[in-house]
């Protein structure tokens, strides 16, 4: 192994041209940490928010972005994992308080590493960690979803939205998902969505035309601008889980609960970490993908040198699934 690696560095918040691929020293793991050779990493809206400067004082610069990574253990001084073990990692300050996964190597605390075994291609595996953790947590912690229930996914063509639909169908739910673009209809039906709804701002009326009492649960991924309408789509004693902010609008101004919340509708939220994704859930999902019982919605894989193109596509909102980068391509 050489002493240097290639990584994507953000010197300061701003446009996509502020992302630079540079040669950096290969990081050494601190006490209680290990080093991962990154074979793939997925792109997340969180990294777009950081690049645009929405993270505030939570990030210091220059910074290697990336809240997740997939690869193999390169060095583990703790002896917890064997070299070459396939692993994923996510969150825990990655790409914010310390350098993250937009690199050929990354170091993270051992406690936020999840092992797995799979022969799936790296571009598929790289799409899974944060997407699966967020969708799984939204369904289980946020909604306490049960087989036979109905689910609305607001922001259905986002990577998390598509993963939530896949997991919902695996659980035996009836899934309704929204999109603003008719061209993305087929992308949702291909992952098993039962009812694709064109988001015209009044999704609640469309939902109740199908399910007059409303859905049992809803996952809000667009953000606060659409949340009131999403709440109106939920039945009495049903639950809406606020998970995402694709709109980049995070707060509700002058929140008056009695006026804002429909009577009897519950509002929760979900934001998870690596330890919120059990290893057996990750392994089971990957096994199902390998056996064609589930799908991983990957839109496109990029080389590290194409990171600006990848961020531009993510920012446009035109992606039809997860965007993945392979740091070792063409090396």
């Amino acid at each position: 192994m050489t002493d240097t690696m290639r990584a994507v560095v953000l010197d300061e918040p701003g446009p996509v041209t502020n992302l630079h691929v540079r040669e950096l020293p290969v990081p050494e793991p601190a006490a209680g940490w290990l080093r991962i050779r990154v074979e793939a990493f997925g792109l997340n809206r969180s990294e777009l928010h950081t690049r645009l400067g929405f993270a505030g004082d939570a990030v210091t610069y220059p910074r290697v972005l990336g809240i997740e990574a997939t690869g193999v253990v390169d060095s583990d001084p703790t002896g917890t994992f064997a070299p070459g073990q396939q692993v994923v990692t996510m969150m825990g300050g990655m790409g914010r308080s310390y350098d993250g996964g937009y690199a050929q190597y990354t170091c993270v605390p051992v406690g936020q590493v999840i092992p797995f075994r799979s022969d799936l291609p790296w571009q598929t595996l790289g799409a899974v960690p944060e997407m699966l953790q967020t969708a799984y947590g939204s369904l289980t912690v946020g909604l306490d979803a049960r087989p036979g229930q109905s689910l609305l996914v607001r922001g259905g063509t986002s990577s998390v939205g598509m993963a939530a639909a896949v997991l919902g169908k695996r659980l035996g739910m009836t899934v309704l998902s929204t999109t603003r673009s008719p061209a993305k209809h087929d992308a949702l039906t291909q992952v098993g969505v039962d009812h694709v709804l064109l988001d015209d701002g009044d999704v609640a009326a469309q939902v109740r035309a199908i399910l007059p009492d409303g859905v049992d649960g809803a996952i809000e991924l667009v953000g606060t601008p659409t949340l009131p309408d999403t709440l109106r789509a939920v039945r009495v004693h049903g639950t809406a889980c606020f998970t995402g902010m694709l709109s980049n609008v995070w707060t509700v101004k002058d929140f008056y609960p009695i006026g804002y919340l429909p009577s009897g509708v519950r509002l929760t939220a979900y934001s998870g970490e690596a330890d919120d994704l059990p290893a057996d859930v990750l392994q089971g999902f990957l096994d199902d993908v390998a056996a064609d019982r589930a799908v991983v919605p990957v839109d496109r894989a990029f080389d590290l040198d194409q990171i600006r193109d990848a961020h531009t596509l993510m920012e446009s909102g035109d992606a039809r699934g997860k965007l993945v980068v392979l740091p070792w391509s063409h090396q």
Side-chain angles (χ1 to χ4, degrees):
M1 188 182 79
T2 64
D3 295 330
T4 62
M5 67 172 185
R6 303 177 77 233
V8 178
V9 180
L10 180 68
D11 288 324
E12 62 181 1
V16 71
T17 51
N18 282 19
L19 296 172
H20 301 279
V21 178
R22 294 193 179 131
E23 290 282 335
L24 298 180
V26 173
E28 291 294 332
W33 292 41
L34 59 70
R35 183 171 61 224
I36 297 171
R37 174 185 160 111
V38 180
E39 300 292 348
F41 61 84
L43 269 62
N44 299 277
R45 298 289 295 189
S46 170
E47 295 136 11
L48 175 60
H49 295 161
T50 299
R51 199 203 85 211
L52 294 175
F54 296 153
D57 295 337
V59 184
T60 55
Y61 303 93
R63 177 63 63 215
V64 176
L65 296 183
I67 65 169
E68 66 176 311
T70 301
V72 297
V73 174
D74 182 67
S75 174
D76 180 6
T78 73
T80 305
F81 297 98
Q85 167 69 62
Q86 292 176 301
V87 293
V88 302
T89 186
M90 70 201 80
M91 303 298 286
M94 288 182 68
R96 291 193 164 196
S97 57
Y98 59 89
D99 286 344
Y102 282 24
Q104 292 178 319
Y105 293 93
T106 189
C107 290
V108 298
V110 170
Q112 69 179 59
V113 175
I114 309 171
F116 70 92
R117 295 188 183 279
S118 178
D119 293 325
L120 291 168
W122 285 116
Q123 69 182 56
T124 300
L125 295 169
V128 171
E130 180 62 14
M131 179 176 68
L132 180 64
Q133 183 267 125
T134 304
Y136 174 79
S138 297
L139 284 169
T140 57
V141 176
L143 297 181
D144 192 25
R146 293 287 184 264
Q149 290 185 329
S150 53
L151 170 69
L152 170 65
V153 183
R154 190 74 177 257
T157 52
S158 65
S159 60
V160 173
M162 296 179 82
V166 170
L167 294 182
K169 292 307 299 180
R170 288 178 71 222
L171 192 59
M173 304 183 79
T174 298
V175 178
L176 301 80
S177 288
T178 72
T179 177
R180 293 174 299 169
S181 170
K184 296 183 179 181
H185 181 282
D186 290 348
L188 291 173
T189 59
Q190 287 168 8
V191 296
V193 171
D194 298 289
H195 301 280
V196 178
L197 309 179
L198 188 62
D199 195 337
D200 59 359
D202 189 7
V203 167
Q206 297 182 58
V207 168
R208 290 183 180 272
I210 300 168
L211 299 169
D213 292 334
V215 291
D216 296 299
I219 298 176
E220 177 60 70
L221 297 171
V222 176
T224 58
T226 56
L227 181 58
D229 183 54
T230 297
L231 287 164
R232 290 192 294 270
V234 178
R235 67 167 176 83
V236 173
H237 298 161
T239 304
C241 177
F242 189 89
T243 297
M245 295 161 286
L246 295 170
S247 63
N248 293 339
V249 181
W250 302 4
T251 60
V252 177
K253 185 179 180 181
D254 300 327
F255 177 66
Y256 173 51
I258 291 178
Y260 193 91
L261 297 171
S263 294
V265 175
R266 303 178 177 101
L267 175 61
T268 66
Y270 178 76
S271 176
E273 296 284 342
D275 57 8
D276 293 304
L277 178 60
D280 62 332
V281 171
L282 171 62
Q283 188 64 58
F285 180 76
L286 296 177
D287 291 345
D288 280 354
V289 173
D292 294 325
R293 294 188 296 267
V295 297
V296 177
V298 178
D299 179 284
R300 182 178 167 190
F302 296 82
D303 294 342
L304 200 65
D305 290 319
Q306 298 173 305
I307 189 63
R308 292 180 179 177
D309 294 335
H311 257 248
T312 298
L313 179 55
M314 176 170 59
E315 189 170 6
S316 74
D318 291 334
R320 302 184 185 186
K322 190 79 168 184
L323 304 177
V324 180
V325 177
L326 304 173
W328 295 92
S329 293
H330 302 158
Q331 294 300 297

